[in-house]
């Protein structure tokens, strides 16, 4: 660990920002679009022009924050919290943290590696000409196509975009390590993808146009991947879309719309998006037809899950654009949406 007076000063600023954000944030004051996407796509005679982009949504692996707070309220919780606070205290004099901009936990690292294993295994199988038995041949074909893109940058005109929070950067870097190591391409950090939360794990450890510090979690993987992660990230991260700290007065849906608008201004057809559970769920709520009951509206993508979807941009009149998810295009690639656990009722 490297001690720096500058790191201590910066950490004090971040703690202050986190406290203010915890009290004042409007990030989760999410508002749906004023139009029904289902009605937009049904009114075919009003469509002047439309185009579509494919998003391959990756939900980050379990973070240390998740490890502490999301494993249930039980007798282990105080011990997990005490351990995390001790680690946070030790890291105070460094640029690192376990709670602010929380990195991947041990389980989260395993989940990110499983993405890599799934991609490499399926890619090798596809190249050997083997087919996967499934009830839906169209989805199987699309899944194979998306897996090919995730492994091989030349398989499609795609761009890798990530939330600037470390757990997302780490997940996509580990999951797509083989593709990125071959192509030397870069990850675009986009602040509009940050999680919709007031918790301090959603507070970035880096300023505007600055990549976040390397976590101890990633440093521990340098021998396994035979890579200097500090140098690897320096060479591959683009932070020109990285803002400073989220504004506490800006709603999450406003950030989501800004990302969607930005995406349709880019030349790529496919966007590999490493992001967060609530952001993804609100995305499905916003752009799927209102009357459609879909798991994506109520269930999170599983940690380390990868799901593809097509989003349409539809111009209905000059200066008026609508966005609609093609519900039939949603394809699970690695894992799926989480299934809610149903508690059994006790008999009286």
């Amino acid at each position: 660990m490297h001690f720096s007076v500058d790191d201590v000063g910066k950490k004090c600023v971040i703690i202050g920002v986190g406290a203010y954000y915890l009290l004042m944030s409007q990030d989760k004051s999410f508002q749906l679009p004023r139009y029904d996407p289902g009605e937009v796509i049904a009114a075919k005679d009003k469509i002047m022009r439309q185009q579509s982009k494919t998003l391959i949504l990756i939900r980050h692996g379990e973070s240390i924050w998740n490890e502490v707070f999301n494993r249930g309220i039980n007798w282990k919780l105080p011990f997990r919290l005490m351990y995390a606070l001790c680690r946070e205290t030790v890291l105070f004099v460094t640029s690192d943290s376990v709670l602010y901009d929380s990195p991947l936990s041990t389980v989260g690292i395993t989940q990110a590696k499983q993405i890599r294993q799934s991609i490499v295994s399926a890619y090798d199988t596809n190249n050997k000409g083997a087919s996967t038995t499934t009830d839906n041949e169209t989805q199987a074909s699309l899944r194979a196509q998306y897996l090919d893109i995730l492994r091989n940058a030349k398989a499609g005109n795609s761009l890798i975009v990530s939330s600037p929070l470390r757990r997302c950067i780490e997940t996509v870097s580990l999951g797509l390590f083989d593709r990125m190591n071959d192509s030397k391409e870069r990850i675009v950090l986009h602040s509009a993808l940050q999680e919709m939360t007031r918790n301090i794990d959603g507070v970035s450890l880096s300023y505007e146009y600055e990549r976040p510090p390397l976590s101890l979690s990633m440093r521990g993987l340098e021998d396994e991947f035979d890579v200097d992660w500090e140098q690897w990230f320096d060479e591959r991260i683009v932070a020109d879309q990285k803002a400073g700290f989220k504004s506490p007065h800006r709603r999450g849906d406003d950030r989501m719309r800004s990302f969607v608008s930005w995406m349709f201004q880019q030349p790529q057809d496919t966007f590999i998006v490493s992001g967060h559970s609530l952001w993804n769920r609100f995305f499905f709520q916003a752009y799927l037809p209102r009357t459609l009951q879909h798991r994506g509206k109520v269930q999170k993508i599983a940690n380390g899950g990868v799901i593809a979807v097509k989003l349409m941009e539809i111009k209905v009149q000059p200066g008026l654009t609508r966005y609609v998810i093609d519900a039939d295009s949603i394809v699970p690639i690695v894992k799926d949406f989480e299934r809610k656990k149903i508690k059994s009722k006790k008999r009286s």
Side-chain angles (χ1 to χ4, degrees):
M1 291 186 296
H2 175 68
F3 167 79
S4 167
V5 174
D6 291 339
D7 288 336
V8 174
K10 187 176 183 180
K11 191 68 70 70
C12 290
V13 171
I14 290 169
I15 290 173
V17 169
Y20 182 72
Y21 203 84
L22 188 65
L23 296 173
M24 304 301 293
S25 172
Q26 298 181 33
D27 207 24
K28 289 181 70 175
S29 300
F30 187 88
Q31 293 183 11
L32 293 174
R34 295 179 181 177
Y35 59 89
D36 181 346
E39 293 178 359
V40 172
I41 199 67
K44 298 185 182 301
D45 57 320
K46 295 183 179 180
I47 296 176
M48 298 177 62
R49 179 178 59 83
Q50 75 178 60
Q51 61 174 320
S52 66
K53 301 280 189 181
T54 297
L55 291 85
I56 301 179
L57 302 172
I58 301 175
R59 183 188 172 190
H60 64 78
E62 180 194 67
S63 69
I64 294 177
W65 177 277
N66 298 149
E67 179 183 55
V68 174
F69 296 104
N70 292 10
R71 290 191 179 181
I73 300 175
N74 50 45
W75 65 271
K76 296 180 181 179
L77 176 59
F79 297 97
R80 295 197 301 265
L81 180 57
M82 287 173 59
Y83 180 57
L85 291 174
C86 289
R87 294 173 69 185
E88 191 68 28
T89 302
V90 172
L91 293 171
F92 176 75
V93 296
T94 73
S95 61
D96 200 2
S97 172
V98 293
L99 298 180
Y100 292 87
D101 195 353
S102 188
L104 292 178
S105 67
T106 302
V107 170
I109 289 171
T110 299
Q111 291 167 339
K113 290 178 184 177
Q114 287 171 348
I115 296 176
R116 181 191 183 195
Q117 292 166 0
S118 298
I119 292 170
V120 172
S121 175
Y123 183 78
D124 291 342
T125 300
N126 291 341
N127 282 349
K128 291 176 182 176
S131 60
T132 304
T133 304
T134 178
D135 294 333
N136 191 326
E137 293 183 3
T138 301
Q139 286 220 339
S141 175
L142 286 171
R143 180 175 181 271
Q145 175 185 328
Y146 295 142
L147 282 163
D148 194 24
I149 291 172
L150 289 170
R151 176 60 185 87
N152 180 12
K154 296 180 180 179
N157 183 20
S158 59
L159 181 68
I160 302 174
V161 192
S162 175
S163 159
L165 297 181
R166 293 184 297 172
R167 52 193 178 272
C168 295
I169 301 170
E170 293 168 354
T171 299
V172 73
S173 298
L174 296 173
L176 272 63
F177 180 79
D178 300 285
R179 165 179 162 147
M180 296 183 65
N181 219 34
D182 291 343
S183 66
K184 312 300 182 188
E185 65 192 298
R186 309 182 82 182
I187 305 171
V188 177
L189 304 188
H190 205 302
S191 288
L193 291 171
Q194 264 181 263
E195 181 62 304
M196 298 178 190
T197 180
R198 63 175 62 241
N199 295 332
I200 61 173
D201 69 319
V203 175
S204 176
L205 286 176
S206 57
Y207 294 142
E208 187 176 20
Y209 308 137
E210 181 183 58
R211 79 159 174 86
L214 190 67
S215 69
L216 287 176
S217 305
M218 291 298 286
R219 291 186 191 278
L221 297 173
E222 291 190 340
D223 289 340
E224 179 179 347
F225 283 79
D226 191 24
V227 66
D228 180 339
W229 285 111
E230 199 80 59
Q231 180 182 348
W232 201 86
F233 283 133
D234 280 340
E235 293 173 350
R236 286 172 175 79
I237 285 183
V238 178
D240 59 352
Q241 298 296 322
K242 163 74 171 71
F245 304 116
K246 292 187 297 181
S247 168
H249 308 298
R250 191 181 185 191
R251 297 195 317 267
D253 59 298
D254 184 37
R255 290 193 292 110
M256 178 181 290
R257 283 193 300 273
S258 71
F259 174 75
V260 168
S261 177
W262 173 85
M263 181 179 67
F264 275 96
Q265 295 171 24
Q266 308 310 307
Q268 289 82 6
D269 302 317
T270 301
F271 293 79
I272 300 168
V273 180
S274 185
H276 304 270
S277 59
L278 293 181
W279 197 101
N280 290 333
R281 193 171 70 187
F282 284 135
F283 176 75
F284 286 111
Q285 290 176 5
Y287 299 123
L288 278 171
R290 297 281 189 274
T291 56
L292 178 68
Q293 293 184 340
H294 192 278
R295 293 167 58 195
K297 291 183 176 182
V298 293
Q299 296 173 359
K300 300 175 181 179
I301 297 175
N303 282 118
V306 184
I307 290 180
V309 59
K310 286 187 182 295
L311 181 68
M312 295 179 285
E313 181 185 65
I314 300 175
K315 188 175 183 179
V316 293
Q317 57 180 274
L320 189 59
T321 302
R322 306 302 195 199
Y323 298 98
V324 180
I325 289 175
D326 177 0
D328 294 331
S329 72
I330 300 173
V331 178
I333 302 172
V334 178
K335 297 184 179 179
D336 204 334
F337 296 99
E338 291 180 341
R339 295 188 179 276
K340 288 189 174 181
K341 295 179 180 179
I342 301 175
K343 296 181 179 179
S344 57
K345 295 181 179 180
K346 295 181 179 180
R347 295 180 179 179
S348 55

